[in-house]
Each structure stands twice: as structure tokens, then as C-alpha cells.
């Protein structure tokens, strides 16, 4: 399946202020937006959009792992992924917490 969108969400206090721009070519996307959610959750979201032709989940996973290494070790995160096929399980959520990665299908 080809990725159409991916959103990485991390606690804001774990995001270094001078963190470099993600390598979009390596991630397989043409655009991204970094936004802070300043409410009770204090989260930062990296929204990746406009995938390059034939962006695959494996390509994204490999590149996002390298990007996450820029955060503090053990930073919990959530990645929501949307795929091109629009089947009931075309959206996935990945949690990383307590040094474990969990996957679930979302609608």
C-alpha cells in the first residue's frame, strides 16, 4: 500500500527547539507542517503530506526511525498513517511507549 499521509505526535517538552527540518525526500513526502498543540496535552505534531510517487510504508518507517533518534531516548510517540486504498483498515496508529511499539487499525 502507498502512504498518502502520516502524522507523528510527540510530547512538546521532548522536541528540541533547534531540531533540523525532516529529510522529506528520505521520508517520501513533499511537504510537512510542524505545529504545537498548546492545551492540556502539550503535544507537537509533524504532519507529512503530498507523498512522492510510490511512497511506501517501509521507506517511511526507516526514515522516521532516524528522525525520531533526534528526540530524547525513550520519547513516547504516536504515528497515524493513511493509505491510498481506502479500505476499512487503510488507517493505522502506532504507539511507542514503555519501550514497546503497538499497532492498531483506526477508522
Amino acid at each position: 500500500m502507498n502512504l498518502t499521509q502520516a502524522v507523528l505526535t510527540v510530547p512538546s517538552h521532548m522536541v528540541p527547539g533547534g531540531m533540523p527540518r525532516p529529510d522529506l525526500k528520505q521520508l517520501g513526502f513533499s511537504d510537512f507542517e510542524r505545529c504545537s498543540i498548546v492545551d492540556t496535552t502539550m503535544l507537537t505534531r509533524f504532519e507529512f503530506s503530498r507523498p512522492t510517487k510510490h511512497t511506501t510504508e517501509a521507506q517511511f518507517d526507516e526514515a522516521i526511525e532516524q528522525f525520531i533518534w533526534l528526540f530524547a531516548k525513550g520519547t513516547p510517540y504516536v504515528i497515524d498513517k493513511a493509505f491510498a486504498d481506502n479500505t476499512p483498515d487503510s488507517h493505522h496508529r502506532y504507539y511507542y511507549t514503555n519501550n514497546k511499539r503497538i499497532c492498531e487499525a483506526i477508522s
Side-chain angles (χ1 to χ4, degrees), residues 15-51:
V15 178
M19 191 161 76
R21 177 181 172 91
D23 184 339
L24 295 176
K25 183 177 181 180
Q26 186 179 17
L27 288 161
F29 286 91
S30 300
D31 197 17
F32 96 103
E33 182 178 343
R34 175 180 168 172
C35 61
S36 294
I37 305 168
V38 185
D39 59 9
T40 58
T41 60
M42 299 297 290
L43 298 173
T44 296
R45 293 172 54 120
F46 296 86
E47 299 179 12
F48 301 96
S49 58
R50 293 185 31 227

Side-chain angles (χ1 to χ4, degrees), residues 21-89:
R21 177 181 172 91
D23 184 339
L24 295 176
K25 183 177 181 180
Q26 186 179 17
L27 288 161
F29 286 91
S30 300
D31 197 17
F32 96 103
E33 182 178 343
R34 175 180 168 172
C35 61
S36 294
I37 305 168
V38 185
D39 59 9
T40 58
T41 60
M42 299 297 290
L43 298 173
T44 296
R45 293 172 54 120
F46 296 86
E47 299 179 12
F48 301 96
S49 58
R50 293 185 31 227
T52 57
K53 191 173 183 178
H54 305 298
T55 297
T56 65
E57 184 177 18
Q59 171 190 0
F60 177 81
D61 287 348
E62 184 177 315
I64 202 71
E65 182 177 341
Q66 291 177 11
F67 181 63
I68 289 172
W69 276 103
L70 299 175
F71 299 97
K73 184 175 178 162
T75 298
Y77 64 81
V78 175
I79 299 176
D80 292 332
K81 298 177 184 175
F83 298 91
D85 64 353
N86 289 325
T87 60
D89 64 346

